[in-house]
Amino acid sequence: MKLGILINEGPYNHQASDSAYQFTKAALEKGHEIFRVFFYNDGVNNATRYSIPPQDDRNITQQWTELAEKHDLDLVVCVAAAQRRGIIDEGEQERNGKDGNNIAPGFRISGLGQLIEAGIQADRLVTFGD
Amino acid sequence: MSDIKKFLYLNRKAPYGTIYALESLEVVLIGAAFEQDVSLAFVDDGVYQLVKGQDTSEIGMKNFSPTYNALGDYDVNKLYVEKESLEARGLTEDDLMPLTYEDEDDDWAEKPSIRVVSSAELADIMDEQDVVLAF
């Protein structure tokens, strides 16, 4: 089955991203295709490479980066939601005159159309949120 | 894109207090360009999103409720409001914004976009959907 994943809550504060990660990993292991993972609302905060969780805890962003590398996942962060919350890539940094960027490897910033497209193209769109 | 799917945006939160209502509306507006079969549902505190006369001047936040008026122009004209949620909050349809759209299949007659439905009817509507986005 072709699946789209939507994550609407930030890391650590909420289990949504953890559950989505476990679900995505399990789906891939069962041979399903992940069309796209889309990050919206506070979910965009999953995409910062600047988080430093305690060493005895999981690193949620790094888990996504590694899973994306292993399975060539498309991790997409909503640009409007990301701009509000200070999640920035190099392009946004230049466009908005910011002094840095913080997006983690494996993630890309794009528009909400990518979410709608996931809804259209995937057999199921599975939401993880509140 | 040839295949048309049924998208339902399920709005469950008050318009202010959290960002869910505003960011849900932003998805609806972007999604409208994809020419899918779009419905919106308002349940629980989500019914407050459609209450008329919203005034945010004292809380320093933008009053985005006028944007709902534009939905009809985007061919988003199926707004289901759960009756039980209205009643539990002492609201009636008269408390909601009179949102309308122009029906191109009926000589552009102006028609109401809001339909108050029971929770059982809403369950049937949700059951028909291909994609449900809950905020």
Side-chain angles (χ1 to χ4, degrees), chain B residues 44-88:
Chain B
D44 300 341
D45 278 351
V47 299
Y48 287 120
Q49 294 179 28
L50 299 180
V51 167
K52 63 185 170 192
Q54 293 179 32
D55 178 3
T56 60
S57 54
E58 298 288 323
I59 58 170
M61 296 171 82
K62 185 178 161 189
N63 177 1
F64 61 91
S65 65
T67 311
Y68 293 97
N69 286 299
L71 291 177
D73 298 333
Y74 285 85
D75 284 331
V76 176
N77 49 41
K78 288 177 286 193
L79 276 62
Y80 301 103
V81 180
E82 194 199 47
K83 185 168 167 277
E84 287 84 349
S85 295
L86 283 177
E87 284 173 354

Side-chain angles (χ1 to χ4, degrees), chain B:
Chain B
M1 233 164 290
S2 57
D3 47 337
I4 290 183
K5 282 193 171 180
K6 290 172 81 75
F7 277 70
L8 176 76
Y9 296 88
L10 181 61
N11 298 288
R12 303 172 295 145
K13 306 275 172 63
Y16 311 101
T18 65
I19 200 167
Y20 297 105
L22 173 61
E23 289 197 328
S24 172
L25 192 53
E26 289 184 350
V27 185
V28 173
L29 294 171
I30 298 289
F34 285 76
E35 298 184 342
Q36 302 293 302
D37 181 347
V38 175
S39 303
L40 273 59
F42 297 85
V43 303
D44 300 341
D45 278 351
V47 299
Y48 287 120
Q49 294 179 28
L50 299 180
V51 167
K52 63 185 170 192
Q54 293 179 32
D55 178 3
T56 60
S57 54
E58 298 288 323
I59 58 170
M61 296 171 82
K62 185 178 161 189
N63 177 1
F64 61 91
S65 65
T67 311
Y68 293 97
N69 286 299
L71 291 177
D73 298 333
Y74 285 85
D75 284 331
V76 176
N77 49 41
K78 288 177 286 193
L79 276 62
Y80 301 103
V81 180
E82 194 199 47
K83 185 168 167 277
E84 287 84 349
S85 295
L86 283 177
E87 284 173 354
R89 288 159 183 80
L91 298 169
T92 69
E93 197 171 349
D94 291 339
D95 296 306
L96 306 180
M97 293 181 277
L99 304 179
T100 58
Y101 71 103
E102 290 174 346
D103 188 350
E104 60 179 320
D105 298 324
D106 190 8
D107 199 23
W108 305 99
E110 193 168 86
K111 296 184 177 179
S113 297
I114 291 178
R115 278 166 252 183
V116 176
V117 295
S118 70
S119 128
E121 286 170 308
L122 189 56
D124 289 340
I125 290 162
M126 288 177 70
D127 201 34
E128 293 167 4
Q129 304 300 319
D130 297 307
V131 180
V132 178
L133 291 160
F135 291 100

